[in-house]
Amino acid sequence: AQSVTQLGSHVSVSEGALVLLRCNYSSSVPPYLFWYVQYPNQGLQLLLKYTSAATLVKGINDFEAEFKKSETSFHLTKPSAHMSDAAEYFCAVSDRGSGNTGKLIFGQGTTLQVKP
Amino acid sequence: ETGVTQSPTHLIKTRGQQVTLRCSSQSGHNTVSWYQQALGQGPQFIFQYYREEENGRGNFPPRFSGLQFPNYSSELNVNALELDDSALYLCASSLAGRGDNYGYTFGSGTRLTVV
């Protein structure tokens, strides 16, 4: 069965600093992996996804993530944090093994705080 | 192109009552998935509807049920509400039953509080 672990429930960075949010996955089949962002009182917005093409995936707002099979990781990075990046971030893996629903299995989330 | 619309945005119910949440899917999408997001947690898959039939279900009891209509809109019904049902309920629409391939569009959710 697929699962996702996000390391660090809270991450704090200064404005302009590198953002690194960690995600490790477990999957018995080649995974599809996703990062979503959630602003307060809003739904989920897709930042980027990996679906077995290039291992370095570029998303919106200068976010990117690298799929590393050997480390079963899919960490999210951004070179320079903006105040507007403060939000909750979720890593998710697609459940491709059962019933072909493509349902998403989410991690617990990481709250990103950006300090001026 | 309209996004996913959920109603109501907030509601408060009493333990034991029943509730219906509604979702209008994005134009062109024929699949709807429902997720429950408890406070401080990641969303958890409840079930998915494709072509008006349940197409997969998560680890939720039968008192959680749903419908999908010919226009692809959907309802989530919860009977015999419990305090632990308090959560943000998210609807996500996708195309052709495989949101992981074609992408999910999430609504802003319905915040349910059970007292």
Side-chain angles (χ1 to χ4, degrees), chain A residues 62-108:
Chain A
D62 294 328
F63 283 97
E64 63 180 36
E66 186 172 7
F67 172 70
K68 292 187 176 180
K69 183 178 179 180
S70 61
E71 299 177 8
T72 61
S73 69
F74 190 59
H75 302 330
L76 180 72
T77 61
K78 180 172 180 175
S80 176
H82 293 170
M83 296 297 293
S84 60
D85 294 327
E88 188 81 11
Y89 291 79
F90 292 97
C91 181
V93 63
S94 167
D95 184 5
R96 304 177 62 208
S98 59
N100 293 316
T101 65
K103 72 180 184 186
L104 297 178
I105 298 163
F106 288 88
Q108 295 285 80

Side-chain angles (χ1 to χ4, degrees), chain A residues 32 34 36 38 41-46 49 51 88 90 94-96 98-109, chain B residues 10 35 37 40-45 48 55-58 88 90 97-104 106-109 111:
Chain A
Y32 286 0
F34 305 81
Y36 283 86
Q38 186 176 37
N41 300 314
Q42 294 190 26
L44 301 174
Q45 180 183 6
L46 180 67
K49 66 178 180 179
T51 55
E88 188 81 11
F90 292 97
S94 167
D95 184 5
R96 304 177 62 208
S98 59
N100 293 316
T101 65
K103 72 180 184 186
L104 297 178
I105 298 163
F106 288 88
Q108 295 285 80
Chain B
H10 296 82
Y35 289 81
Q37 186 179 13
Q41 304 291 318
Q44 289 196 316
F45 177 75
Q48 182 183 92
N55 185 41
R57 188 177 184 92
L88 180 68
L90 295 166
R98 287 305 304 268
D100 57 348
N101 269 331
Y102 302 104
Y104 289 100
F106 280 84
S108 296
R111 174 73 62 185

